[in-house]
Amino acid sequence: MAFFSGISIQKRDSASEADGGELFKGAAFIAAGVLAASFMTMEIASVLKLGLLAVGVVLCAVGVKWIVKYWKDNKAFEEFVPEWDKGRGMYDRFARN
């Protein structure tokens, strides 16, 4: 039973701040990928070298994916303007914090 049944709740359009954990994951994956690829300089079997190089490339690709996701979320957060804030004056739009 609702007291105000004619009222609908609208979902707000909002952008949340980018998660710093995604940036950390990206950096960690890239570091692990570079470490795995650095075994190319060692005197070990060439099959093992190529395998570790492939693993390193895959880890770097996953790390870049996380960093790009963080970058997109951060850009969306910085460019977000609330619906109620679009009617500001000309001078307020150009003000910086």
Side-chain angles (χ1 to χ4, degrees):
M1 180 176 173
F3 291 104
F4 305 105
S5 61
I7 297 176
S8 64
I9 299 174
Q10 295 177 355
K11 184 179 176 184
R12 290 184 181 176
D13 278 335
S14 63
S16 60
E17 191 172 358
D19 184 20
E22 293 172 352
L23 183 63
F24 179 75
K25 285 179 194 175
F29 273 101
I30 289 174
V34 169
L35 179 67
S38 70
F39 281 97
M40 287 292 293
T41 61
M42 295 180 65
E43 294 294 328
I44 55 177
S46 61
V47 174
L48 187 59
K49 283 183 187 181
L50 292 176
L52 287 171
L53 178 64
V55 168
V57 169
V58 169
L59 287 174
C60 285
V62 171
V64 168
K65 180 194 78 95
W66 281 108
I67 289 178
V68 167
K69 183 177 181 329
Y70 172 82
W71 178 71
K72 286 181 180 179
D73 290 346
N74 191 38
K75 185 176 179 182
F77 177 71
E78 288 176 354
E79 293 177 352
F80 176 71
V81 177
E83 185 66 34
W84 56 267
D85 202 21
K86 289 184 180 175
R88 292 187 299 171
M90 180 174 123
Y91 301 107
D92 290 339
R93 288 192 184 273
F94 296 108
R96 296 277 184 213
N97 293 336

